[in-house]
Amino acid sequence: KRVLREEALAWEKDVDVSSDAVVAAAVGTLTVSSIGYDRDDSTRFLQQALDSGASRVVLDRQDGPWVTGPLVGRSDQEIVFEEGAKVAAKRNAFQSPTDILFTLSHVTNVTFRGNSTEIKMFKDDYAAAPYDFTRVGQRHTFSIHGCEDITLEGLSIVQSGGAGGILRRIRIANCVVDGSRRRGIWIAGTVGTTIENSTIKGTKGNWPQTGVALLTDSAETPRPSPRRLFAAVRRSRTSSG
């Protein structure tokens, strides 16, 4: 009980308990700009929205993109991008090679739904100081692992510092992944990933520069088997560099 109370107090410090973020947990839908928008850095508003408990989080169109640092997703949530809304990685924010724009770890029932929504990183920045570029090619746009029932739909993922997505158990539909540094999509040890009506192209920067890479994961698949390791690519195009 004490731990739960401490967590609740910590959450209240970050979020106004009278704000729409709290109301959204009850009514279901939260528009992020009702918490706030900062054209230079909206990380805190976006993360508060994801943490709010709302079943539907809406990124509404603004004069500029939603500029953000690394974000962490939660279970049972639909993230909807209004037509014309954009997301951009904050310049100088992804200093560590392991910084990811969107991380989903051991969550379920999450959908990112856009309308050709641009989600942009800046891969050329990460290959020079002041960034740690000793392991260039690891700053992914999406890292999704240990999850179930995840969908990415209607997104345009561009200029990823590593892969557009490193994925397990996920559905991708009507997406474009363009100009990633290392891999367009990295399917790592997955069972049942599908990619539909999507284009993965222009991967260029660091070896292996692939469109889609299917790799085994010794922890999930100690002895790779066609019955355990598969991904379906339907009505999609892949290319590199």
Side-chain angles (χ1 to χ4, degrees):
K1 291 182 179 179
R2 182 172 134 189
V3 171
L4 291 174
R5 180 58 183 161
E6 288 175 351
E7 289 180 350
L9 289 171
W11 184 71
E12 289 173 6
K13 289 179 183 178
D14 291 331
V15 182
D16 180 356
V17 294
S18 65
S19 73
D20 286 346
V22 176
V23 175
V27 303
T29 298
L30 169 64
T31 300
V32 181
S33 64
S34 67
I35 304 175
Y37 171 77
D38 183 337
R39 67 169 49 250
D40 296 318
D41 186 359
S42 287
T43 309
R44 62 192 183 281
F45 304 128
L46 291 165
Q47 192 60 61
Q48 284 176 8
L50 295 173
D51 292 342
S52 69
S55 60
R56 190 169 186 263
V57 172
V58 179
L59 277 72
D60 45 328
R61 180 175 180 174
Q62 300 294 325
D63 291 339
W66 288 90
V67 175
T68 183
L71 297 169
V72 178
R74 308 303 183 193
S75 290
D76 301 317
Q77 202 163 66
E78 181 185 27
I79 297 90
V80 178
F81 302 88
E82 281 188 354
E83 186 172 0
K86 297 182 178 181
V87 176
K90 183 182 178 182
R91 310 298 278 265
N92 296 318
F94 292 77
Q95 295 288 331
S96 169
T98 58
D99 283 341
I100 309 294
L101 188 54
F102 288 103
T103 296
L104 299 179
S105 177
H106 300 281
V107 298
T108 60
N109 187 31
V110 180
T111 296
F112 286 79
R113 195 181 311 282
N115 187 354
S116 299
T117 302
E118 182 181 85
I119 300 179
K120 184 177 183 179
M121 298 188 77
F122 299 92
K123 69 175 184 180
D124 291 339
D125 287 5
Y126 312 140
Y131 294 89
D132 177 357
F133 54 92
T134 56
R135 289 180 291 162
V136 69
Q138 295 192 14
R139 295 171 178 87
H140 310 304
T141 304
F142 284 91
S143 178
I144 300 170
H145 54 91
C147 300
E148 298 284 349
D149 193 17
I150 310 296
T151 297
L152 306 183
E153 184 170 0
L155 307 180
S156 181
I157 301 167
V158 295
Q159 298 293 311
S160 174
I166 176 167
L167 315 171
R168 289 180 170 89
R169 295 186 177 94
I170 182 173
R171 175 178 176 264
I172 299 172
N174 306 309
C175 289
V176 175
V177 180
D178 187 9
S180 300
R181 175 169 289 279
R182 194 173 178 196
R183 295 180 174 94
I185 293 176
W186 182 357
I187 303 172
T190 189
V191 177
T193 287
T194 62
I195 303 171
E196 302 174 335
N197 300 320
S198 297
T199 300
I200 301 96
K201 62 180 182 178
T203 306
K204 187 174 182 180
N206 284 79
W207 184 89
Q209 300 181 140
T210 54
V212 176
L214 177 61
L215 304 178
T216 62
D217 181 335
S218 59
E220 182 178 351
T221 313
R223 300 181 64 182
S225 164
R227 292 180 298 175
R228 291 224 358 112
L229 179 63
F230 69 92
V233 180
R234 305 187 182 102
R235 298 180 299 280
S236 300
R237 297 181 297 163
T238 65
S239 64
S240 61

PDB file of all heavy atoms in Angstrom, residues 71-73 98-107 112 121 138-147 150 152 157 160 163-168 170 186 188:
ATOM      1  N   LEU A  71       9.954   8.184 -25.764  1.00  0.00           N
ATOM      2  CA  LEU A  71       8.646   7.976 -25.142  1.00  0.00           C
ATOM      3  C   LEU A  71       8.429   6.489 -24.869  1.00  0.00           C
ATOM      4  O   LEU A  71       8.962   5.638 -25.589  1.00  0.00           O
ATOM      5  CB  LEU A  71       7.534   8.497 -26.048  1.00  0.00           C
ATOM      6  CG  LEU A  71       7.537   9.994 -26.347  1.00  0.00           C
ATOM      7  CD1 LEU A  71       6.556  10.307 -27.471  1.00  0.00           C
ATOM      8  CD2 LEU A  71       7.189  10.805 -25.101  1.00  0.00           C
ATOM      9  N   VAL A  72       7.610   6.188 -23.862  1.00  0.00           N
ATOM     10  CA  VAL A  72       7.300   4.811 -23.488  1.00  0.00           C
ATOM     11  C   VAL A  72       5.791   4.622 -23.537  1.00  0.00           C
ATOM     12  O   VAL A  72       5.038   5.381 -22.917  1.00  0.00           O
ATOM     13  CB  VAL A  72       7.822   4.480 -22.076  1.00  0.00           C
ATOM     14  CG1 VAL A  72       7.454   3.051 -21.687  1.00  0.00           C
ATOM     15  CG2 VAL A  72       9.338   4.679 -22.010  1.00  0.00           C
ATOM     16  N   GLY A  73       5.339   3.603 -24.285  1.00  0.00           N
ATOM     17  CA  GLY A  73       3.918   3.329 -24.425  1.00  0.00           C
ATOM     18  C   GLY A  73       3.381   2.434 -23.323  1.00  0.00           C
ATOM     19  O   GLY A  73       4.133   1.735 -22.637  1.00  0.00           O
ATOM     20  N   THR A  98      21.226   3.820 -27.400  1.00  0.00           N
ATOM     21  CA  THR A  98      20.072   3.000 -27.052  1.00  0.00           C
ATOM     22  C   THR A  98      18.795   3.819 -26.875  1.00  0.00           C
ATOM     23  O   THR A  98      17.743   3.269 -26.531  1.00  0.00           O
ATOM     24  CB  THR A  98      20.343   2.204 -25.763  1.00  0.00           C
ATOM     25  OG1 THR A  98      20.657   3.113 -24.699  1.00  0.00           O
ATOM     26  CG2 THR A  98      21.510   1.245 -25.957  1.00  0.00           C
ATOM     27  N   ASP A  99      18.838   5.117 -27.116  1.00  0.00           N
ATOM     28  CA  ASP A  99      17.632   5.937 -27.042  1.00  0.00           C
ATOM     29  C   ASP A  99      16.705   5.592 -28.205  1.00  0.00           C
ATOM     30  O   ASP A  99      17.131   5.541 -29.360  1.00  0.00           O
ATOM     31  CB  ASP A  99      17.984   7.425 -27.090  1.00  0.00           C
ATOM     32  CG  ASP A  99      18.533   7.940 -25.770  1.00  0.00           C
ATOM     33  OD1 ASP A  99      18.305   7.271 -24.740  1.00  0.00           O
ATOM     34  OD2 ASP A  99      19.184   8.998 -25.772  1.00  0.00           O
ATOM     35  N   ILE A 100      15.438   5.368 -27.902  1.00  0.00           N
ATOM     36  CA  ILE A 100      14.426   4.965 -28.871  1.00  0.00           C
ATOM     37  C   ILE A 100      13.312   6.012 -28.866  1.00  0.00           C
ATOM     38  O   ILE A 100      12.933   6.520 -27.798  1.00  0.00           O
ATOM     39  CB  ILE A 100      13.821   3.593 -28.508  1.00  0.00           C
ATOM     40  CG1 ILE A 100      14.921   2.548 -28.254  1.00  0.00           C
ATOM     41  CG2 ILE A 100      12.837   3.135 -29.579  1.00  0.00           C
ATOM     42  CD1 ILE A 100      15.744   2.192 -29.462  1.00  0.00           C
ATOM     43  N   LEU A 101      12.746   6.319 -30.025  1.00  0.00           N
ATOM     44  CA  LEU A 101      11.656   7.293 -30.058  1.00  0.00           C
ATOM     45  C   LEU A 101      10.416   6.746 -29.346  1.00  0.00           C
ATOM     46  O   LEU A 101       9.882   7.369 -28.437  1.00  0.00           O
ATOM     47  CB  LEU A 101      11.330   7.673 -31.509  1.00  0.00           C
ATOM     48  CG  LEU A 101      10.338   8.819 -31.694  1.00  0.00           C
ATOM     49  CD1 LEU A 101      10.759  10.065 -30.934  1.00  0.00           C
ATOM     50  CD2 LEU A 101      10.187   9.143 -33.180  1.00  0.00           C
ATOM     51  N   PHE A 102       9.930   5.569 -29.749  1.00  0.00           N
ATOM     52  CA  PHE A 102       8.790   4.929 -29.085  1.00  0.00           C
ATOM     53  C   PHE A 102       9.209   3.530 -28.627  1.00  0.00           C
ATOM     54  O   PHE A 102       9.561   2.693 -29.450  1.00  0.00           O
ATOM     55  CB  PHE A 102       7.598   4.785 -30.026  1.00  0.00           C
ATOM     56  CG  PHE A 102       6.889   6.061 -30.355  1.00  0.00           C
ATOM     57  CD1 PHE A 102       7.098   6.681 -31.577  1.00  0.00           C
ATOM     58  CD2 PHE A 102       6.010   6.653 -29.455  1.00  0.00           C
ATOM     59  CE1 PHE A 102       6.447   7.859 -31.901  1.00  0.00           C
ATOM     60  CE2 PHE A 102       5.350   7.834 -29.763  1.00  0.00           C
ATOM     61  CZ  PHE A 102       5.567   8.436 -30.992  1.00  0.00           C
ATOM     62  N   THR A 103       9.131   3.280 -27.327  1.00  0.00           N
ATOM     63  CA  THR A 103       9.414   1.952 -26.783  1.00  0.00           C
ATOM     64  C   THR A 103       8.134   1.339 -26.242  1.00  0.00           C
ATOM     65  O   THR A 103       7.420   1.957 -25.443  1.00  0.00           O
ATOM     66  CB  THR A 103      10.458   2.030 -25.654  1.00  0.00           C
ATOM     67  OG1 THR A 103      11.696   2.504 -26.179  1.00  0.00           O
ATOM     68  CG2 THR A 103      10.687   0.651 -25.034  1.00  0.00           C
ATOM     69  N   LEU A 104       7.846   0.113 -26.691  1.00  0.00           N
ATOM     70  CA  LEU A 104       6.765  -0.691 -26.118  1.00  0.00           C
ATOM     71  C   LEU A 104       7.409  -1.964 -25.581  1.00  0.00           C
ATOM     72  O   LEU A 104       7.983  -2.739 -26.343  1.00  0.00           O
ATOM     73  CB  LEU A 104       5.720  -1.041 -27.167  1.00  0.00           C
ATOM     74  CG  LEU A 104       4.982   0.119 -27.846  1.00  0.00           C
ATOM     75  CD1 LEU A 104       3.997  -0.417 -28.871  1.00  0.00           C
ATOM     76  CD2 LEU A 104       4.264   0.985 -26.829  1.00  0.00           C
ATOM     77  N   SER A 105       7.311  -2.176 -24.279  1.00  0.00           N
ATOM     78  CA  SER A 105       7.948  -3.332 -23.651  1.00  0.00           C
ATOM     79  C   SER A 105       6.937  -4.055 -22.779  1.00  0.00           C
ATOM     80  O   SER A 105       6.409  -3.489 -21.811  1.00  0.00           O
ATOM     81  CB  SER A 105       9.146  -2.879 -22.810  1.00  0.00           C
ATOM     82  OG  SER A 105       9.734  -3.966 -22.139  1.00  0.00           O
ATOM     83  N   HIS A 106       6.625  -5.316 -23.151  1.00  0.00           N
ATOM     84  CA  HIS A 106       5.728  -6.165 -22.374  1.00  0.00           C
ATOM     85  C   HIS A 106       4.374  -5.482 -22.133  1.00  0.00           C
ATOM     86  O   HIS A 106       3.866  -5.479 -21.003  1.00  0.00           O
ATOM     87  CB  HIS A 106       6.394  -6.569 -21.060  1.00  0.00           C
ATOM     88  CG  HIS A 106       7.675  -7.325 -21.259  1.00  0.00           C
ATOM     89  ND1 HIS A 106       7.706  -8.668 -21.590  1.00  0.00           N
ATOM     90  CD2 HIS A 106       8.971  -6.916 -21.225  1.00  0.00           C
ATOM     91  CE1 HIS A 106       8.956  -9.054 -21.720  1.00  0.00           C
ATOM     92  NE2 HIS A 106       9.742  -8.016 -21.525  1.00  0.00           N
ATOM     93  N   VAL A 107       3.821  -4.919 -23.189  1.00  0.00           N
ATOM     94  CA  VAL A 107       2.482  -4.338 -23.123  1.00  0.00           C
ATOM     95  C   VAL A 107       1.580  -5.057 -24.129  1.00  0.00           C
ATOM     96  O   VAL A 107       2.045  -5.804 -24.990  1.00  0.00           O
ATOM     97  CB  VAL A 107       2.495  -2.819 -23.399  1.00  0.00           C
ATOM     98  CG1 VAL A 107       3.325  -2.103 -22.350  1.00  0.00           C
ATOM     99  CG2 VAL A 107       3.023  -2.517 -24.798  1.00  0.00           C
ATOM    100  N   PHE A 112      -1.139   2.310 -32.998  1.00  0.00           N
ATOM    101  CA  PHE A 112      -0.769   3.641 -33.488  1.00  0.00           C
ATOM    102  C   PHE A 112      -1.467   3.801 -34.831  1.00  0.00           C
ATOM    103  O   PHE A 112      -1.158   3.079 -35.775  1.00  0.00           O
ATOM    104  CB  PHE A 112       0.750   3.750 -33.675  1.00  0.00           C
ATOM    105  CG  PHE A 112       1.527   3.856 -32.393  1.00  0.00           C
ATOM    106  CD1 PHE A 112       1.787   2.733 -31.618  1.00  0.00           C
ATOM    107  CD2 PHE A 112       2.013   5.080 -31.961  1.00  0.00           C
ATOM    108  CE1 PHE A 112       2.504   2.822 -30.443  1.00  0.00           C
ATOM    109  CE2 PHE A 112       2.740   5.185 -30.789  1.00  0.00           C
ATOM    110  CZ  PHE A 112       2.991   4.055 -30.029  1.00  0.00           C
ATOM    111  N   MET A 121      12.960  11.000 -37.578  1.00  0.00           N
ATOM    112  CA  MET A 121      14.197  11.152 -36.827  1.00  0.00           C
ATOM    113  C   MET A 121      15.225  11.822 -37.739  1.00  0.00           C
ATOM    114  O   MET A 121      14.897  12.211 -38.873  1.00  0.00           O
ATOM    115  CB  MET A 121      14.679   9.800 -36.298  1.00  0.00           C
ATOM    116  CG  MET A 121      13.700   9.152 -35.318  1.00  0.00           C
ATOM    117  SD  MET A 121      14.345   7.654 -34.510  1.00  0.00           S
ATOM    118  CE  MET A 121      15.442   8.397 -33.276  1.00  0.00           C
ATOM    119  N   GLN A 138      21.719   2.447 -33.970  1.00  0.00           N
ATOM    120  CA  GLN A 138      20.894   1.772 -32.971  1.00  0.00           C
ATOM    121  C   GLN A 138      19.744   2.628 -32.451  1.00  0.00           C
ATOM    122  O   GLN A 138      18.992   2.190 -31.597  1.00  0.00           O
ATOM    123  CB  GLN A 138      21.758   1.308 -31.801  1.00  0.00           C
ATOM    124  CG  GLN A 138      22.760   0.240 -32.201  1.00  0.00           C
ATOM    125  CD  GLN A 138      23.412  -0.411 -30.993  1.00  0.00           C
ATOM    126  OE1 GLN A 138      22.955  -0.261 -29.876  1.00  0.00           O
ATOM    127  NE2 GLN A 138      24.470  -1.135 -31.229  1.00  0.00           N
ATOM    128  N   ARG A 139      19.621   3.832 -32.904  1.00  0.00           N
ATOM    129  CA  ARG A 139      18.533   4.710 -32.442  1.00  0.00           C
ATOM    130  C   ARG A 139      17.292   4.447 -33.304  1.00  0.00           C
ATOM    131  O   ARG A 139      17.086   5.096 -34.322  1.00  0.00           O
ATOM    132  CB  ARG A 139      18.979   6.168 -32.515  1.00  0.00           C
ATOM    133  CG  ARG A 139      20.128   6.495 -31.552  1.00  0.00           C
ATOM    134  CD  ARG A 139      20.683   7.890 -31.823  1.00  0.00           C
ATOM    135  NE  ARG A 139      21.740   8.256 -30.893  1.00  0.00           N
ATOM    136  CZ  ARG A 139      23.031   7.971 -31.070  1.00  0.00           C
ATOM    137  NH1 ARG A 139      23.422   7.287 -32.149  1.00  0.00           N
ATOM    138  NH2 ARG A 139      23.925   8.352 -30.186  1.00  0.00           N
ATOM    139  N   HIS A 140      16.466   3.510 -32.862  1.00  0.00           N
ATOM    140  CA  HIS A 140      15.318   3.084 -33.654  1.00  0.00           C
ATOM    141  C   HIS A 140      14.124   4.019 -33.437  1.00  0.00           C
ATOM    142  O   HIS A 140      14.011   4.684 -32.399  1.00  0.00           O
ATOM    143  CB  HIS A 140      14.921   1.663 -33.278  1.00  0.00           C
ATOM    144  CG  HIS A 140      16.062   0.695 -33.283  1.00  0.00           C
ATOM    145  ND1 HIS A 140      16.863   0.484 -34.390  1.00  0.00           N
ATOM    146  CD2 HIS A 140      16.556  -0.115 -32.301  1.00  0.00           C
ATOM    147  CE1 HIS A 140      17.781  -0.413 -34.107  1.00  0.00           C
ATOM    148  NE2 HIS A 140      17.627  -0.784 -32.842  1.00  0.00           N
ATOM    149  N   THR A 141      13.215   4.035 -34.389  1.00  0.00           N
ATOM    150  CA  THR A 141      11.976   4.791 -34.213  1.00  0.00           C
ATOM    151  C   THR A 141      11.024   4.042 -33.296  1.00  0.00           C
ATOM    152  O   THR A 141      10.434   4.626 -32.387  1.00  0.00           O
ATOM    153  CB  THR A 141      11.305   5.061 -35.569  1.00  0.00           C
ATOM    154  OG1 THR A 141      12.238   5.735 -36.425  1.00  0.00           O
ATOM    155  CG2 THR A 141      10.068   5.946 -35.396  1.00  0.00           C
ATOM    156  N   PHE A 142      10.841   2.741 -33.527  1.00  0.00           N
ATOM    157  CA  PHE A 142      10.017   1.902 -32.664  1.00  0.00           C
ATOM    158  C   PHE A 142      10.841   0.717 -32.184  1.00  0.00           C
ATOM    159  O   PHE A 142      11.520   0.071 -32.984  1.00  0.00           O
ATOM    160  CB  PHE A 142       8.796   1.356 -33.421  1.00  0.00           C
ATOM    161  CG  PHE A 142       7.694   2.352 -33.637  1.00  0.00           C
ATOM    162  CD1 PHE A 142       7.663   3.121 -34.778  1.00  0.00           C
ATOM    163  CD2 PHE A 142       6.682   2.505 -32.696  1.00  0.00           C
ATOM    164  CE1 PHE A 142       6.633   4.043 -34.993  1.00  0.00           C
ATOM    165  CE2 PHE A 142       5.663   3.422 -32.898  1.00  0.00           C
ATOM    166  CZ  PHE A 142       5.635   4.190 -34.044  1.00  0.00           C
ATOM    167  N   SER A 143      10.763   0.420 -30.902  1.00  0.00           N
ATOM    168  CA  SER A 143      11.287  -0.831 -30.361  1.00  0.00           C
ATOM    169  C   SER A 143      10.138  -1.513 -29.627  1.00  0.00           C
ATOM    170  O   SER A 143       9.617  -0.977 -28.643  1.00  0.00           O
ATOM    171  CB  SER A 143      12.457  -0.583 -29.410  1.00  0.00           C
ATOM    172  OG  SER A 143      12.921  -1.799 -28.857  1.00  0.00           O
ATOM    173  N   ILE A 144       9.734  -2.678 -30.141  1.00  0.00           N
ATOM    174  CA  ILE A 144       8.545  -3.362 -29.627  1.00  0.00           C
ATOM    175  C   ILE A 144       8.938  -4.795 -29.290  1.00  0.00           C
ATOM    176  O   ILE A 144       9.290  -5.574 -30.176  1.00  0.00           O
ATOM    177  CB  ILE A 144       7.419  -3.342 -30.672  1.00  0.00           C
ATOM    178  CG1 ILE A 144       7.056  -1.878 -31.002  1.00  0.00           C
ATOM    179  CG2 ILE A 144       6.202  -4.106 -30.176  1.00  0.00           C
ATOM    180  CD1 ILE A 144       6.126  -1.728 -32.187  1.00  0.00           C
ATOM    181  N   HIS A 145       8.929  -5.149 -28.022  1.00  0.00           N
ATOM    182  CA  HIS A 145       9.358  -6.486 -27.637  1.00  0.00           C
ATOM    183  C   HIS A 145       8.569  -6.970 -26.428  1.00  0.00           C
ATOM    184  O   HIS A 145       8.149  -6.190 -25.581  1.00  0.00           O
ATOM    185  CB  HIS A 145      10.863  -6.513 -27.328  1.00  0.00           C
ATOM    186  CG  HIS A 145      11.303  -5.509 -26.309  1.00  0.00           C
ATOM    187  ND1 HIS A 145      11.352  -5.781 -24.969  1.00  0.00           N
ATOM    188  CD2 HIS A 145      11.712  -4.221 -26.443  1.00  0.00           C
ATOM    189  CE1 HIS A 145      11.773  -4.713 -24.306  1.00  0.00           C
ATOM    190  NE2 HIS A 145      11.996  -3.750 -25.171  1.00  0.00           N
ATOM    191  N   GLY A 146       8.339  -8.296 -26.400  1.00  0.00           N
ATOM    192  CA  GLY A 146       7.582  -8.898 -25.314  1.00  0.00           C
ATOM    193  C   GLY A 146       6.124  -8.479 -25.293  1.00  0.00           C
ATOM    194  O   GLY A 146       5.489  -8.497 -24.238  1.00  0.00           O
ATOM    195  N   CYS A 147       5.592  -8.082 -26.458  1.00  0.00           N
ATOM    196  CA  CYS A 147       4.246  -7.511 -26.528  1.00  0.00           C
ATOM    197  C   CYS A 147       3.284  -8.434 -27.263  1.00  0.00           C
ATOM    198  O   CYS A 147       3.688  -9.355 -27.969  1.00  0.00           O
ATOM    199  CB  CYS A 147       4.290  -6.154 -27.245  1.00  0.00           C
ATOM    200  SG  CYS A 147       5.333  -4.914 -26.440  1.00  0.00           S
ATOM    201  N   ILE A 150      -0.248  -5.674 -31.127  1.00  0.00           N
ATOM    202  CA  ILE A 150       0.258  -4.332 -31.439  1.00  0.00           C
ATOM    203  C   ILE A 150       0.036  -4.059 -32.923  1.00  0.00           C
ATOM    204  O   ILE A 150       0.316  -4.915 -33.770  1.00  0.00           O
ATOM    205  CB  ILE A 150       1.758  -4.204 -31.114  1.00  0.00           C
ATOM    206  CG1 ILE A 150       2.059  -4.699 -29.695  1.00  0.00           C
ATOM    207  CG2 ILE A 150       2.226  -2.769 -31.314  1.00  0.00           C
ATOM    208  CD1 ILE A 150       1.409  -3.909 -28.593  1.00  0.00           C
ATOM    209  N   LEU A 152       0.645  -1.006 -36.037  1.00  0.00           N
ATOM    210  CA  LEU A 152       1.074   0.281 -36.588  1.00  0.00           C
ATOM    211  C   LEU A 152       0.366   0.443 -37.920  1.00  0.00           C
ATOM    212  O   LEU A 152       0.525  -0.396 -38.807  1.00  0.00           O
ATOM    213  CB  LEU A 152       2.585   0.318 -36.801  1.00  0.00           C
ATOM    214  CG  LEU A 152       3.511  -0.006 -35.627  1.00  0.00           C
ATOM    215  CD1 LEU A 152       4.969   0.157 -36.047  1.00  0.00           C
ATOM    216  CD2 LEU A 152       3.206   0.867 -34.424  1.00  0.00           C
ATOM    217  N   ILE A 157       7.386   6.496 -41.548  1.00  0.00           N
ATOM    218  CA  ILE A 157       8.507   6.494 -40.610  1.00  0.00           C
ATOM    219  C   ILE A 157       9.777   6.810 -41.395  1.00  0.00           C
ATOM    220  O   ILE A 157      10.205   6.024 -42.237  1.00  0.00           O
ATOM    221  CB  ILE A 157       8.612   5.126 -39.916  1.00  0.00           C
ATOM    222  CG1 ILE A 157       7.298   4.820 -39.170  1.00  0.00           C
ATOM    223  CG2 ILE A 157       9.802   5.079 -38.971  1.00  0.00           C
ATOM    224  CD1 ILE A 157       7.178   3.373 -38.727  1.00  0.00           C
ATOM    225  N   SER A 160      15.116   7.062 -39.707  1.00  0.00           N
ATOM    226  CA  SER A 160      15.423   6.443 -38.425  1.00  0.00           C
ATOM    227  C   SER A 160      16.933   6.323 -38.242  1.00  0.00           C
ATOM    228  O   SER A 160      17.669   6.021 -39.178  1.00  0.00           O
ATOM    229  CB  SER A 160      14.792   5.053 -38.343  1.00  0.00           C
ATOM    230  OG  SER A 160      15.205   4.393 -37.167  1.00  0.00           O
ATOM    231  N   ALA A 163      16.799   1.208 -37.088  1.00  0.00           N
ATOM    232  CA  ALA A 163      15.719   0.594 -37.863  1.00  0.00           C
ATOM    233  C   ALA A 163      14.454   1.411 -37.670  1.00  0.00           C
ATOM    234  O   ALA A 163      14.249   2.027 -36.616  1.00  0.00           O
ATOM    235  CB  ALA A 163      15.483  -0.851 -37.420  1.00  0.00           C
ATOM    236  N   GLY A 164      13.605   1.397 -38.710  1.00  0.00           N
ATOM    237  CA  GLY A 164      12.310   2.021 -38.526  1.00  0.00           C
ATOM    238  C   GLY A 164      11.563   1.358 -37.385  1.00  0.00           C
ATOM    239  O   GLY A 164      10.849   1.990 -36.621  1.00  0.00           O
ATOM    240  N   GLY A 165      11.761   0.036 -37.244  1.00  0.00           N
ATOM    241  CA  GLY A 165      11.182  -0.680 -36.118  1.00  0.00           C
ATOM    242  C   GLY A 165      11.924  -1.968 -35.867  1.00  0.00           C
ATOM    243  O   GLY A 165      12.319  -2.658 -36.798  1.00  0.00           O
ATOM    244  N   ILE A 166      12.165  -2.281 -34.593  1.00  0.00           N
ATOM    245  CA  ILE A 166      12.638  -3.598 -34.206  1.00  0.00           C
ATOM    246  C   ILE A 166      11.465  -4.256 -33.484  1.00  0.00           C
ATOM    247  O   ILE A 166      10.985  -3.749 -32.466  1.00  0.00           O
ATOM    248  CB  ILE A 166      13.914  -3.547 -33.336  1.00  0.00           C
ATOM    249  CG1 ILE A 166      14.308  -4.959 -32.887  1.00  0.00           C
ATOM    250  CG2 ILE A 166      13.804  -2.598 -32.177  1.00  0.00           C
ATOM    251  CD1 ILE A 166      15.695  -5.033 -32.301  1.00  0.00           C
ATOM    252  N   LEU A 167      10.962  -5.356 -34.044  1.00  0.00           N
ATOM    253  CA  LEU A 167       9.603  -5.771 -33.757  1.00  0.00           C
ATOM    254  C   LEU A 167       9.484  -7.225 -33.334  1.00  0.00           C
ATOM    255  O   LEU A 167      10.266  -8.070 -33.757  1.00  0.00           O
ATOM    256  CB  LEU A 167       8.730  -5.574 -35.006  1.00  0.00           C
ATOM    257  CG  LEU A 167       8.891  -4.245 -35.755  1.00  0.00           C
ATOM    258  CD1 LEU A 167       8.131  -4.298 -37.055  1.00  0.00           C
ATOM    259  CD2 LEU A 167       8.409  -3.094 -34.889  1.00  0.00           C
ATOM    260  N   ARG A 168       8.432  -7.502 -32.556  1.00  0.00           N
ATOM    261  CA  ARG A 168       7.978  -8.851 -32.252  1.00  0.00           C
ATOM    262  C   ARG A 168       6.456  -8.834 -32.201  1.00  0.00           C
ATOM    263  O   ARG A 168       5.859  -7.940 -31.604  1.00  0.00           O
ATOM    264  CB  ARG A 168       8.500  -9.333 -30.892  1.00  0.00           C
ATOM    265  CG  ARG A 168       9.999  -9.628 -30.837  1.00  0.00           C
ATOM    266  CD  ARG A 168      10.351 -10.097 -29.423  1.00  0.00           C
ATOM    267  NE  ARG A 168      11.699 -10.613 -29.338  1.00  0.00           N
ATOM    268  CZ  ARG A 168      12.759  -9.855 -29.078  1.00  0.00           C
ATOM    269  NH1 ARG A 168      12.623  -8.571 -28.918  1.00  0.00           N
ATOM    270  NH2 ARG A 168      13.962 -10.406 -28.989  1.00  0.00           N
ATOM    271  N   ILE A 170       3.552  -8.318 -34.208  1.00  0.00           N
ATOM    272  CA  ILE A 170       2.983  -7.016 -34.524  1.00  0.00           C
ATOM    273  C   ILE A 170       2.371  -7.043 -35.914  1.00  0.00           C
ATOM    274  O   ILE A 170       2.797  -7.816 -36.785  1.00  0.00           O
ATOM    275  CB  ILE A 170       4.071  -5.913 -34.435  1.00  0.00           C
ATOM    276  CG1 ILE A 170       3.492  -4.537 -34.709  1.00  0.00           C
ATOM    277  CG2 ILE A 170       5.226  -6.194 -35.364  1.00  0.00           C
ATOM    278  CD1 ILE A 170       4.478  -3.413 -34.456  1.00  0.00           C
ATOM    279  N   TRP A 186      13.295  -4.605 -38.613  1.00  0.00           N
ATOM    280  CA  TRP A 186      14.061  -5.720 -38.063  1.00  0.00           C
ATOM    281  C   TRP A 186      13.087  -6.582 -37.272  1.00  0.00           C
ATOM    282  O   TRP A 186      12.600  -6.188 -36.216  1.00  0.00           O
ATOM    283  CB  TRP A 186      15.157  -5.171 -37.155  1.00  0.00           C
ATOM    284  CG  TRP A 186      16.066  -6.190 -36.554  1.00  0.00           C
ATOM    285  CD1 TRP A 186      15.998  -7.550 -36.666  1.00  0.00           C
ATOM    286  CD2 TRP A 186      17.196  -5.916 -35.720  1.00  0.00           C
ATOM    287  NE1 TRP A 186      17.015  -8.141 -35.963  1.00  0.00           N
ATOM    288  CE2 TRP A 186      17.768  -7.163 -35.381  1.00  0.00           C
ATOM    289  CE3 TRP A 186      17.781  -4.750 -35.239  1.00  0.00           C
ATOM    290  CZ2 TRP A 186      18.889  -7.256 -34.564  1.00  0.00           C
ATOM    291  CZ3 TRP A 186      18.897  -4.849 -34.437  1.00  0.00           C
ATOM    292  CH2 TRP A 186      19.444  -6.091 -34.106  1.00  0.00           C
ATOM    293  N   ALA A 188      12.734  -9.520 -35.071  1.00  0.00           N
ATOM    294  CA  ALA A 188      13.691 -10.264 -34.250  1.00  0.00           C
ATOM    295  C   ALA A 188      12.978 -11.345 -33.452  1.00  0.00           C
ATOM    296  O   ALA A 188      12.280 -11.063 -32.487  1.00  0.00           O
ATOM    297  CB  ALA A 188      14.426  -9.307 -33.309  1.00  0.00           C
TER     298      ALA A 188
END
